[in-house]
Each structure stands twice: as structure tokens, then as C-alpha cells.
Amino acid sequence: MNENIIESEGLTKYYGHILGIKDLNLQVKRGEIFGYLGPNGAGKTTTIKLLLDLIHSTKGKVKIFGLDAHQDSLEIRKKIGYMSVDFNLYENMTGEEFLIFCQSFYSNRDKGFKEKLIKKFEIKIEGKIKTYSHGTKQKLALAQALLHQPELLILDEPTIGLDPLMQNEFLNLIKEQKSEGKTVFMSSHILLEVEKICDRVGILKKGTLIVTKNIDELKRTTERTLRVVFQKEVSEKELEMEGITKIEKEGNKYILTIAGNEEEILKKINSYPLFSLNFEEADLEDIFLRYFKNKEEK
Amino acid sequence: MIITKKEFKENRWKFVIFLLILLITEIIVVYFYPAFKEMQPDLNSKMIGMPKFLKELAQKQLSIITGYPAYLGSQWFEKNLKQFAVIFAILLAMGCLAKEAENKTLELLLSKPISRTRVILEKFITTCAGMFFITLIPSMIIYPLSLFWGRDINGLTMIQLILGNIVTFSLAFVILSYTFFFSVLFNDQVKTAVGGIILTLVFWLFSLFKLTKNLSIFTHCNSMPLFLKGEMTWNEVYLLFSVGILFMLLSIYAFNRKDI
């Protein structure tokens, strides 16, 4: 579980003078679903393209399965399944022809597994791909990524453009991959889906990885709001302590913004007689927005 | 052979259409030989009012057509087949990589365990093979067709027809190669075609002037010695194939360095 499947070191990519990503140090562990977050243009697709050796880095290195992503690209791609953000398929092929075409690149050509995928994803394989719906095309794109039973699945915004029902179905399929021991590296800007299925996330901003954390840890260490109503007057000064970053007062009610040191803070607050105490759980969206807001301020 | 199969399947209709065009043209060329022979002595009188240099050029060209083999060399290999080969070469090569880039399928293809060099070679070889056969088949059919219409085919052998086709194909090979190179450089079929057409025009212009004549690929593609004197212009053919291979190597180099 602790073995790094993806490991980058100072990975930098410039498109001419335009920055793609800068000094990216990323580790993705075997068997995890890693969510790669960031707004549009943050460098998510650039990272993925570097992993697949579709573009060449300006500086730095990436290792996948311990192999150099550029030098040993062919060997690496045998073990990777990839679905791109603007997945375009060979529209004049039928679904079946397309899957056979994709499967022919690999030595592992398990016909039974192909049939299993078609059945499981309920993919239409008759008729030309250009006649298929967006959802069916997307399922076909995911199926081609899974055909050779890869160890690592790289998905660039896999649920973009899907309706909520289909999105859910898709996320379940990705979760199944994890349960089969596969590693998933998934970029997204839909935070809810990342929160639902990812073990760890990396947040990317303007080409720089600003944080990589376990989702629970991220929630724990990110600023949260604590609403407290005291039975008696407590001065602001009494509440000043490590971990409390902001104090807002409305009569006996306090709104405290806290970041870390939760145990000590709660111990101190509980030493006063209380009417109520409420923790507002931050979801990933709040965390994401706070990260971006804080960094902007800095 | 995965890409080869796909390329052949994707281009099959282009190949069939181009082959049909050439077959129809070839039938016309063979069929109208008697009419041409009848008109030949009168052509001088029909060139009244034509600019002097054009008149001289036409007279020079007509004077060498002394028999059926020379007629075929001039009207089939040097005119129709050559002109169509130039157009077909650009049309076939323009889509090779640029179309995949336009449709964004190149990313999917290169995410598979296949090297860029192999992708480009398989695509290029399929296109070249297609081009070779669509020019070779009509050239081969000339023989039975000529016999069928009772043309004076003595002295003209199947080998000459094959060699004549190799001369024309060497020109198509260069054009395929540089258009293919543009296809690697631009992610757009129109830009690729424009690049191919411009370079072809430049070569054609070079062929018109004494000073630049030897720099033109058109000057070196000449099958007439084969049909007039039975001499094959191997050096020119080697030269054209070498230029084509050079562009192919440049394409491989550029494609391996390209960001997709």
C-alpha cells in the first residue's frame, strides 16, 4: 500500500513562456484513488500528459512503477489505462471494432473480459460510434481504458458532461477498480465526487501543487467554524489561544474560526458553562475555496 | 500492423475513387490514340495565334510522339498519371496525422503501448503502398487494354509499364513525404494541404527556369527516355526516393519531439 506508483520530482512544464506546471513533487500510492483537484487551467491535464509522455517536461522527472516516464514510456503504457477529458473515439468504427482495435495493442487480449465489460457497462456495440449518446461514448472510453486490466488508471475529468445518474454509476465503476487492487489517478474539478471516492487529494493552483493530503486529514487541519453560546459573559481575550484564528462575537454567542489544536480549544471552552456548541463540518468544497482564498490573500 | 489495418480501412474509399478516376482516364487515353494520330499532322496549323514560346514547346513535345509507346509515355505517364499522382499524394498525406490531431484521437493512440516512430511509419507505409497500387493497377491494365483495341503495342513490354510507373511513383513518393511532414507539423488538414500545394508549386516553378531546373522534383521525374530509347532513369529515381526518405526521417524526428 505504501509503494509509490507515481513519483514526480521537480516536474516543470512551460509551453513557450506560458507555465503549465512548476516544481511538481507528487506521490501516488499503490491501491489508492488519488483526486487531482484544481480549477480549469491549473495544470491537471498537463500533469497527466506528462505522465503519459504525450508532452515533454521542461525540467524534472516522473517515475511510474519505478520506471522513467519518458525513457520507459512504452513499458509503462502497457500497465496504464487512460481516459482523456475530451475523449474522442474513432467515430467511424463500431463500438465492437473500437474495443477490438484498442485491445490489439496489448498482449493481454482476454476476449471474455471484453464481453464482461460490455455487459457490465451495458455498452451498445452495434452501429457506428458517431451515432452513440455522450454517456455511451464515455462508457466506451472507460471500457477501452480497462480492457487490458491495467494496474494504474489515469482519468482526466471522467464524469464531465454526464447526468447525475450516470455520474454516480461512473463513480461506482471507479470504486470497483480500487476494490480490485488498482490504483486510480483522477483529475476533477467536481469536488463532491472527489470527496465521495478519493482517499487522498492534491490541490493544484496555477501550476503549483499547494497541498497533498488524505481527505479526512485535510478536513481536520483546515479551518472550521465553531459556534459557541456561553451562559455567562466571556471576554474575547480569554478565548485567544493557539489554533483560534478568528473570533466574532454576537452577544453571548461566539463564532470561532479554528485551525488545528482542536482538543485544547474544546477543553478550554468546556471549562465555561455553555448553552450550546456546534461544529460546522467543512466539506471539500469549503476546504478548496478556503485554500484558494487564503493563498490569494497571502 | 494494427495501424496499417486501420489506415487502410479508413482510406479505402479514397483509394477506390482515385483508382476509378485513373482507370477512366486510362481508358480515354488508350481509346483516343487513333484520333490523336490523325490530328497530329494538323496540330501545327491549329496553333495560330498562340504565343511563340508555347507554340515551340508544343511542337517540341508533339515531335517526339513517334509511335504508340511514346504516346503512352507522353500522354499517360508524363501527363495524366503524373498530374493525378501529384493531387492524390497531397490528398492522401494531408489527413495522415493532421486528421488524428484534429479529431483528438492521436492522444488516445499514443496512450497505447506503441512507439511514435512505429505509428508514423505504419501510417506512411500504408499511404505509400496505397498510392503505389492505385497508380500501378491502371498502368498494368494498359497492356491488355491496348491489345483489346488493337493498338500497335510491339516493343512495349509489361516491364516498361512497371518501370514507367516506378518513375511516376518516385515523384508521388516525394510529394507524399513532404506533405506528410507538414501533417506532423500542423494539427490541421487544411494547413497541411496548403503547405503541400505551395511546395509543389515552388518545385513546378523551379522546373520552368534554366537556373533552377535541376532543383525541381518534376525535372527528375521523366519516363520519356524509357519509352523512346528504352533507358530507365535510375539515378533520378534514386534521387527522388532519397529526398522522400529525408522528409520521412524529418517527420519521425519532428513527431518524436512533438507535444500532443
Side-chain angles (χ1 to χ4, degrees), chain B:
Chain B
M1 296 294 277
I2 310 162
I3 311 281
T4 307
K5 266 192 216 164
K6 179 185 85 69
E7 285 301 303
F8 187 76
K9 209 171 170 193
E10 274 180 5
N11 287 311
R12 66 191 188 279
W13 290 114
K14 272 190 197 170
F15 291 149
V16 169
I17 291 166
F18 294 167
L19 181 64
L20 280 176
I21 292 172
L22 288 178
L23 283 172
I24 293 165
T25 314
E26 175 206 28
I27 291 168
I28 293 169
V29 168
V30 175
Y31 183 79
F32 280 103
Y33 175 62
F36 176 83
K37 219 169 138 188
E38 261 175 46
M39 274 165 64
Q40 206 180 7
D42 297 335
L43 281 175
N44 276 344
S45 58
K46 285 178 182 162
M47 287 191 283
I48 299 160
M50 200 184 252
K52 202 183 162 195
F53 80 98
L54 272 181
K55 205 172 174 179
E56 278 173 8
L57 192 77
Q59 278 168 345
K60 196 180 159 191
Q61 289 207 349
L62 285 171
S63 66
I64 58 170
I65 307 174
T66 48
Y68 186 61
Y71 168 78
L72 279 182
S74 152
Q75 300 306 303
W76 173 245
F77 287 101
E78 284 300 303
K79 291 225 163 54
N80 290 295
L81 186 63
K82 206 182 214 178
Q83 285 159 4
F84 279 122
V86 169
I87 298 164
F88 294 167
I90 295 173
L91 289 175
L92 281 174
M94 67 185 256
C96 275
L97 273 162
K99 193 179 166 193
E100 296 250 17
E102 260 179 20
N103 294 344
K104 290 177 179 164
T105 46
L106 196 55
E107 204 177 310
L108 175 91
L109 197 62
L110 294 178
S111 70
K112 306 289 172 206
I114 185 165
S115 73
R116 290 189 183 202
T117 305
R118 194 170 150 196
V119 168
I120 206 165
L121 279 177
E122 281 201 34
K123 277 180 174 278
F124 185 71
I125 290 167
T126 315
T127 314
C128 283
M131 187 75 207
F132 183 71
F133 285 110
I134 56 172
T135 52
L136 181 71
I137 293 167
S139 299
M140 298 304 301
I141 291 176
I142 282 180
Y143 207 87
L145 205 63
S146 301
L147 285 176
F148 176 74
W149 270 317
R151 303 288 175 254
D152 180 19
I153 204 156
N154 291 340
L156 186 73
T157 64
M158 205 65 129
I159 305 276
Q160 268 177 302
L161 294 172
I162 295 172
L163 292 175
N165 196 69
I166 290 175
V167 174
T168 314
F169 176 71
S170 63
L171 175 79
F173 182 77
V174 183
I175 298 169
L176 273 173
S177 314
Y178 62 66
T179 310
F180 198 82
F181 176 63
F182 290 127
S183 185
V184 172
L185 293 187
F186 308 123
N187 292 337
D188 182 312
Q189 291 191 79
V190 178
K191 281 183 190 166
T192 303
V194 170
I197 291 167
I198 289 175
L199 196 53
T200 308
L201 285 175
V202 169
F203 280 131
W204 177 72
L205 281 173
F206 279 0
S207 71
L208 298 180
F209 305 101
K210 255 188 186 166
L211 194 69
T212 52
K213 210 174 174 180
N214 282 335
L215 293 173
S216 172
I217 52 171
F218 291 101
T219 311
H220 299 292
C221 172
N222 186 6
S223 57
M224 282 318 281
L226 185 71
F227 294 97
L228 293 174
K229 297 179 243 168
E231 287 170 9
M232 175 67 177
T233 51
W234 282 115
N235 287 341
E236 283 80 356
V237 169
Y238 292 146
L239 179 73
L240 289 176
F241 275 117
S242 305
V243 175
I245 289 168
L246 184 72
F247 273 108
M248 192 52 226
L249 293 174
L250 279 174
S251 303
I252 293 173
Y253 177 77
F255 192 52
N256 275 310
R257 291 176 65 89
K258 190 178 173 162
D259 280 351
I260 306 298

Side-chain angles (χ1 to χ4, degrees), chain A residues 79-90:
Chain A
K79 299 190 226 171
I80 289 183
Y82 169 58
M83 180 182 163
S84 83
V85 58
D86 42 6
F87 66 93
N88 271 24
L89 314 174
Y90 290 103

